[in-house]
């Protein structure tokens, strides 16, 4: 671990060392009961993040009809969030270190609450997309602050592993609950309430934070020092690159490949990428140290994370529009229909964690990818406009979800293979960024495939063509899975078993004291 600064030695957010027989933190004087209260709050915050991701999908058709979104532009309700959280998550991690973890935790929750209120009151699609972008910024602050607080509250080893297990399970549970809650809330109260429901949850957690979490003083004290330590230019350039790229894909998949406007859009994305590279080479504290990409494990992890989220992020959308617009399920029924996918992903992640300790991350990745591929092919071939949901969809959903859960576990371990302890947090953050950027890119591509041949009016749907388009989108995901498997075979390091005592499921952005450390 990196050497602690005098400030960190004095910080009340130091690691937990329980006094023998007293259940007390001998460094901070906190009791086990107080630490459990802190963990409950941190896990709840992670549940809010997962809930926000899952709850919107089921409400998308209702949102599109109410605010006159086109089928292609409706995905911006999801993409605006994932783009901003992906573009700023590394910067958010750095902000937690420099400005205080608890402070960023509270600020992220406040942004969540305010943006959710604006989203529920949004009179137009543009206002809603802007609110979702603010939510993404809140997530970019909240996610790394939450995990950093877990790492600095609990000592490395069994205590921290247990805490991270609770934290990661809460996120998965939030996603599963969100899928069901989105349908129920939309059916009973209206789509606006998928946003309003976040307001008391996020605001309540922000109020409890000063009570349950220790205060940690900021490292920087002046605006000039803050400007030097933050890689603002890199974060902005990365976000602009992704925004323009996805916007260009949306126009291109709508049949606007060769227009001057689209050529300018793609050129602007390429220019922003070049600016990002130039900025990262010049700044003293780059958001993305390029030397890390010499590690084969990281290359594999980034590719798999990007492609995995490109498929996973769009899968809920494809299945929801199929159930609601082809099979005419109401939003509540569609939410219940996609719940098994979330639950099977949680099961698959647990299976993957056990497999990693036995056969290694590389083999776990291959097994997970192959399992998910079989499920996607089954789903693509079995879709029809009639028949029974359980016969058509459920078997493929179960197999796909388990495979994707195993893949999710394996990719984090593979990404960290070969990384030093000092760079483990940054490596995981890079993979997390690739995952977040992959979601809107995949959604733009697969939504375009699903809606080929559909009229521009969102209220008019040619059911047969939509059913065929969803089937093609799922088959495209299966082909992408096959390509990912080939990359893993050729690039992934063979010796990728985790060290004894590490946690194979939860690897994410984390910092401790003066530098990044492994979870």
């Amino acid at each position: 671990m990196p050497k602690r600064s005098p400030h960190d030695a004095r910080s009340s957010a130091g690691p937990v060392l329980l006094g023998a027989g007293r259940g007390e933190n001998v460094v901070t004087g906190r009791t086990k009961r107080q630490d459990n209260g802190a963990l409950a709050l941190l896990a709840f915050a992670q549940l809010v993040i997962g809930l926000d991701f899952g709850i919107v999908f089921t409400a998308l058709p209702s949102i599109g009809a109410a605010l006159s979104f086109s089928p292609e532009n409706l995905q911006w309700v999801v993409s605006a969030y994932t783009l901003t959280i992906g573009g700023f998550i590394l910067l958010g991690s750095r902000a937690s270190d420099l400005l205080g973890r608890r402070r960023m935790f509270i600020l992220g929750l406040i942004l969540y609450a305010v943006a959710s209120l604006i989203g529920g009151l949004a009179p137009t699609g543009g206002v809603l997309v802007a609110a979702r972008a603010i939510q993404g910024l809140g997530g970019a602050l909240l996610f790394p602050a939450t995990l950093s607080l877990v790492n600095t509250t609990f000592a490395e080893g069994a205590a921290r592993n247990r805490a991270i297990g609770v934290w990661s399970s809460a996120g998965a549970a939030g996603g599963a609950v969100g899928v069901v809650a989105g349908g129920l809330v939309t059916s009973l109260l209206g789509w606006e309430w998928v946003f309003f429901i976040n307001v008391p949850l996020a605001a309540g957690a922000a109020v409890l934070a000063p009570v349950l979490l220790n205060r940690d003083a900021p490292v920087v004290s002046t605006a000039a020092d803050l400007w030097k330590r933050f890689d603002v230019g890199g974060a902005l350039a990365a976000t602009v690159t992704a925004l323009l790229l996805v916007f260009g894909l949306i126009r291109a998949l709508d049949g606007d490949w060769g227009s001057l406007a689209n050529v300018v859009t793609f050129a602007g994305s390429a220019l922003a990428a070049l600016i990002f590279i130039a900025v990262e080479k010049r700044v003293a504290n780059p958001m993305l140290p390029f030397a890390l990409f010499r590690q084969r494990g990281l290359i594999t992890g980034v590719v798999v994370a990007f492609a995995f989220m490109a498929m996973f992020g769009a899968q809920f959308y494809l299945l929801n529009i199929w159930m609601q617009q082809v099979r005419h399920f109401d939003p509540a029924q569609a939410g219940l229909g996609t719940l098994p996918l979330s639950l099977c992903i949680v099961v698959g992640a647990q299976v993957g964690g056990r497999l990693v300790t036995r056969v290694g991350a590389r083999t776990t990745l291959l097994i997970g990818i192959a399992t998910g591929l079989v499920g996607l092919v089954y789903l693509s071939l079995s879709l029809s406009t009639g028949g029974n949901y359980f016969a058509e969809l459920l078997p493929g959903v179960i197999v796909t979800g388990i495979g994707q859960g195993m893949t999710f576990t394996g990719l984090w371990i593979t990404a960290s293979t070969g990384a030093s302890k000092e760079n483990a947090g940054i490596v995981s953050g890079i993979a997390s960024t690739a995952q977040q950027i992959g979601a809107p890119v995949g959604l733009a591509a697969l939504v375009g495939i699903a809606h080929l041949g559909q009229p521009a009016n969102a209220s008019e749907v040619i059911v047969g063509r939509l059913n065929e388009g969803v089937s093609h989108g799922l088959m495209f995901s299966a082909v992408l899975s096959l390509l990912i498997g080939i990359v893993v075979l050729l690039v992934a390091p063979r010796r990728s078993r985790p060290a004894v005592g590490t946690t194979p499921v939860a690897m994410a952005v984390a910092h401790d004291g003066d530098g990044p450390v492994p979870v």
Side-chain angles (χ1 to χ4, degrees):
M1 294 183 63
K3 184 178 179 181
R4 287 185 173 274
S5 67
H7 160 77
D8 289 325
R10 295 190 304 267
S11 174
S12 61
V16 166
L17 299 173
L18 295 180
R22 292 179 299 176
E24 186 174 291
N25 183 327
V26 299
V27 175
T28 66
R30 289 170 58 95
T31 65
K32 186 175 181 180
R33 190 175 190 180
Q34 290 173 317
D35 289 327
N36 286 339
L39 177 58
L41 178 61
L42 296 172
F44 180 77
Q46 186 65 9
L47 184 142
V48 170
I49 295 175
L51 179 72
D52 187 70
F53 174 80
I55 199 170
V56 173
F57 280 98
T58 319
L60 286 177
S62 298
I63 293 172
L67 299 182
S68 300
F69 276 102
S70 70
E72 292 79 14
N73 288 332
L74 183 59
Q75 57 88 22
W76 274 102
V77 177
V78 176
S79 296
Y81 174 84
T82 53
L83 274 175
T84 48
I85 193 173
F88 287 95
I89 197 166
L90 291 180
L91 192 62
S93 180
R94 190 64 174 151
S96 293
D97 289 334
L98 299 180
L99 300 177
R101 299 177 182 93
R102 193 181 75 171
R103 181 178 295 177
M104 291 301 102
F105 179 84
I106 295 172
L107 179 58
L109 287 168
I110 291 174
L111 286 175
Y112 252 103
V114 172
S116 296
L117 181 61
I118 295 173
L121 296 173
T124 65
V127 174
L128 179 58
V129 169
R132 290 288 285 167
I134 297 172
Q135 275 187 326
L137 182 58
L141 297 176
L142 182 61
F143 178 81
T146 302
L147 189 51
S148 293
L149 284 166
V150 170
N151 283 322
T152 55
T153 302
F154 296 90
E156 186 175 358
R160 184 181 295 177
N161 289 346
R162 170 186 169 272
I164 291 175
V166 173
W167 172 85
S168 59
S169 297
V177 170
V179 170
V180 178
L184 294 174
V185 168
T186 301
S187 295
L188 297 176
L189 301 174
W191 66 266
E192 298 90 346
W193 282 90
V194 303
F195 299 104
F196 287 150
I197 197 173
N198 279 330
V199 177
L201 298 180
V207 170
L208 288 174
V211 178
L212 297 177
L213 301 177
N214 285 349
R215 180 177 179 272
D216 53 335
V219 173
V220 297
S221 56
T222 66
D225 189 24
L226 180 63
W227 185 258
K228 291 179 182 178
R229 303 285 290 270
F230 268 114
D231 184 15
V232 178
L236 290 175
T239 303
V240 171
T241 299
L243 282 169
L244 292 178
L245 176 62
V246 175
F247 182 68
L249 285 171
I250 293 172
R251 295 176 61 92
L253 292 170
D254 198 29
D256 196 16
W257 284 97
S259 70
L260 178 61
N262 222 35
V263 170
V264 171
T265 299
F266 283 124
S269 178
L271 178 60
L274 292 175
I275 293 173
F276 172 71
I277 293 172
V279 169
E280 296 304 277
K281 288 183 176 181
R282 293 175 63 89
V283 296
N285 299 290
M287 185 177 70
L288 181 61
F290 294 118
L292 294 176
F293 285 98
R294 297 170 186 165
Q295 301 168 7
R296 294 172 62 191
L298 178 58
I299 295 173
T300 306
V302 166
V303 171
V304 176
F306 178 89
F308 171 84
M309 202 59 192
M311 294 183 296
F312 173 74
Q315 196 171 41
F316 280 96
Y317 181 89
L318 292 177
L319 294 179
N320 266 288
I321 64 172
W322 181 83
M323 285 187 284
Q324 293 191 49
Q325 297 184 2
V326 176
R327 292 296 307 280
H328 305 294
F329 286 13
D330 63 36
Q333 291 173 324
L336 290 171
T338 52
L339 176 61
L341 179 61
S342 296
L343 297 178
C344 288
I345 289 171
V346 174
V347 172
Q350 296 300 315
V351 173
R354 296 182 180 183
L355 272 179
V356 167
T357 61
R358 290 173 171 80
V359 300
R362 180 176 182 270
T363 302
T364 300
L365 267 179
L366 292 173
I367 294 174
I369 291 169
T371 303
L373 189 154
V374 171
L376 288 167
V377 170
Y378 179 94
L379 285 173
S380 176
L381 297 178
S382 63
L383 292 186
S384 68
T385 56
N388 186 277
Y389 161 82
F390 294 98
E392 293 172 338
L393 211 65
L394 193 56
V397 164
I398 292 173
V399 175
T400 302
I402 291 174
Q404 289 182 339
M406 288 190 288
T407 302
F408 185 74
T409 298
L411 77 87
W412 292 110
I413 302 300
T414 303
S416 63
T417 299
S420 65
K421 290 183 178 180
E422 290 75 17
N423 288 326
I426 295 176
V427 164
S428 298
I430 294 170
S432 179
T433 302
Q435 180 187 358
Q436 296 293 342
I437 299 299
V441 173
L443 191 60
L446 293 176
V447 166
I449 293 173
H451 286 95
L452 284 174
Q454 292 293 332
N457 190 337
S459 64
E460 300 177 6
V461 175
I462 303 174
V463 173
R465 287 184 180 176
L466 181 60
N467 185 78
E468 183 179 348
V470 171
S471 177
H472 288 165
L474 292 169
M475 187 60 73
F476 180 84
S477 295
V479 173
L480 186 57
S481 295
L482 179 61
L483 296 176
I484 296 172
I486 294 173
V487 170
V488 172
L489 277 173
L490 296 177
V491 181
R494 293 181 178 273
R495 300 184 64 183
S496 53
R497 291 174 183 262
V500 175
T502 59
T503 302
V505 175
M507 286 288 294
V509 182
H511 290 271
D512 187 8
D514 294 328
V517 297
V519 171

